[in-house]
Amino acid sequence: MASEPTPPPTVSISPLLAALAGPSSHQLPADEIASALALIFDNRLSPVQCSSLLTLLHVTKQDHNPLVIAKCASAMRSAAAQVDHAALREVVRRRGRKEGSYRGGLCDIVGTGGDGHSTFNVSTTASILASSLLLLSKHGNRASSSTSGSADLLQSITPRGPVIEAVTATTLPAIYEMTNYAFLFAPKFHPGMRHVAPVRKDLGFRTIFNLLGPLANPVEGMLEARVVGVAHRALGPVFAEALRLSGAKKALVVCGAEDLDEISCAGVTYCWRLVERPNPAFRGSENEQDDEYTTSDEEAAPRRIVAIEAFELQPADFGLAAHNLAEVLPGKMPRENAETLMRLLRKELPREDPVVHFVLMNTAALFVVAGVCEAEESEMGEGDDGRVVEERGPGGGRWKEGVRRARWAIESGEALKALEGYVEVTNSFGIR
């Protein structure tokens, strides 16, 4: 009988814990905190010190420090199963469909969870619709605080659902050869998280790991655009800054006024958008196509900088009616939500159904952020009338054009086709 592998020796972080518990905890370098957190993924921290670290980060509010979040997310990605970026980049280059200011890169739409509303799985559904025009890398997991997580929803699709475990660091490039959609199931890419699961369960409160998920996409370095929902308004600017520090250039952080980690169909949604702007301090060629500009000065000002713009959105900005959250709060189990998903994709729900509107708004937001709505002409395919909605709303976004494209994804059948392609290719790997 094979013996259990010997666990690695633990490392003591007592000096760091003492500093976190002291009066100058806010002065601790984010790199030191991230290095300590990284020990968890290799099972190098004792349960007691692991628990102490997560608790102290929580009580000192260091888990709401943008730099700490960015550094810890980087450590989490470094410990993840590593994707062959060269192979993936080649597939993306060939498969990505450039349009407007969208360069054909990978995109994601995800929420932190923890809003307590248990709404319909809007971000997962929106990701499927968006894959009709974008390459989607939807990072997600099973439910922790809701009744139906993204993985639960996908696995409940009938008569044949996807094999979510088939998408791995090894198979990901092959997946994108066949479909625009991939669901990156967190346990397959972050195996080290199993070491902290018992501690998180026993602690009983949300830790920094609940915030790292949206920033821990295994293809983070290749994500062109994303929408991130946060459950509390105060987290909005924190997350936007953490994304900026992580190198993101196209992103929208949203929080419904009801403390909803989605764009709200009921009223106001607070938004923080990352946008690239020309850097007034740049001293090189004004022609952005000029590739001959070089400098040996590592501190030279870059051509463009990323700024954060705050604004508010309402359903009317999308050209849609408002709906009380109770109309999209089924609180149902995954199988029932999966049935709603398939009815939506098969055009069996009324066009003005509250769930349809809810999904359209969130899909439109990703289209706007990715840049496809900046196209002056529209050639999406069969069923596209080509009438671009040029009207701009809050933050300068063409939100109504995003809705037009999201409706096309449903009514043309392209969203359903994208899901079917994902189901087909994952089942072809023969993993159950």
Side-chain angles (χ1 to χ4, degrees), residues 116-267:
H117 288 297
S118 290
T119 56
F120 173 73
N121 298 89
V122 66
S123 65
T124 307
T125 305
S127 71
I128 294 169
L129 264 64
S131 68
S132 60
L133 296 175
L134 313 174
L135 291 178
L136 259 291
S137 294
K138 170 63 176 164
H139 186 222
N141 208 337
R142 294 193 174 92
S144 58
S145 59
S146 65
T147 55
S148 177
S150 50
D152 305 309
L153 175 77
L154 293 170
Q155 289 187 307
S156 297
I157 292 173
T158 58
R160 184 173 73 151
V163 181
I164 62 174
E165 293 86 355
V167 181
T168 67
T170 303
T171 64
L172 192 57
I175 297 289
Y176 282 119
E177 290 282 6
M178 305 297 293
T179 178
N180 280 6
Y181 190 83
F183 178 74
L184 280 57
F185 185 38
K188 295 295 292 186
F189 288 86
H190 299 286
M193 285 294 293
R194 68 186 187 277
H195 301 307
V196 72
V199 170
R200 293 175 68 191
K201 184 177 180 180
D202 287 345
L203 283 177
F205 58 82
R206 293 175 66 80
T207 71
I208 191 171
F209 284 113
N210 295 96
L211 304 180
L212 296 184
L215 296 173
N217 193 311
V219 296
E220 172 72 23
M222 293 183 64
L223 283 180
E224 178 177 345
R226 81 198 78 194
V227 172
V228 178
V230 295
H232 302 288
R233 186 179 181 182
L235 278 175
V238 170
F239 247 84
E241 179 63 10
L243 282 166
R244 191 187 69 81
L245 292 171
S246 298
K249 297 178 180 179
K250 288 182 181 180
L252 180 69
V253 180
V254 300
C255 179
E258 309 85 359
D259 282 343
L260 181 72
D261 68 338
E262 320 277 5
I263 290 179
S264 176
C265 63

Side-chain angles (χ1 to χ4, degrees), residues 307-346:
I308 299 172
E309 298 179 349
F311 54 91
E312 296 177 7
L313 284 171
Q314 299 201 45
D317 297 315
F318 296 90
L320 299 171
H323 301 279
N324 191 292
L325 279 189
E327 298 180 73
V328 292
L329 287 175
K332 294 180 180 178
M333 300 307 291
R335 185 168 296 279
E336 294 170 289
N337 283 350
E339 290 173 358
T340 301
L341 163 65
M342 297 310 296
R343 288 184 64 209
L344 184 150
L345 295 178
R346 291 173 180 146

Side-chain angles (χ1 to χ4, degrees), residues 2 11 31 107 141 174 199 212 284 358-359 375 402 421:
V11 175
D31 283 321
C107 303
N141 208 337
V199 170
L212 296 184
F358 195 22
V359 172

Side-chain angles (χ1 to χ4, degrees), residues 267-339:
V268 172
T269 295
Y270 305 110
C271 304
W272 299 264
R273 185 177 180 183
L274 273 64
V275 292
E276 279 194 289
R277 292 176 176 166
N279 185 357
F282 178 69
R283 294 294 178 262
S285 169
E286 293 184 5
N287 181 6
E288 294 198 17
Q289 304 304 316
D290 183 4
D291 292 330
E292 295 184 1
Y293 171 73
T294 60
T295 176
S296 59
D297 183 0
E298 293 183 357
E299 297 183 359
R303 186 187 299 275
R304 301 180 71 81
I305 56 175
V306 177
I308 299 172
E309 298 179 349
F311 54 91
E312 296 177 7
L313 284 171
Q314 299 201 45
D317 297 315
F318 296 90
L320 299 171
H323 301 279
N324 191 292
L325 279 189
E327 298 180 73
V328 292
L329 287 175
K332 294 180 180 178
M333 300 307 291
R335 185 168 296 279
E336 294 170 289
N337 283 350
E339 290 173 358

Side-chain angles (χ1 to χ4, degrees), residues 82-94:
Q82 297 300 301
V83 175
D84 184 339
H85 281 78
L88 181 57
R89 189 171 285 109
E90 173 58 23
V91 176
V92 169
R93 184 189 65 79
R94 286 188 283 103

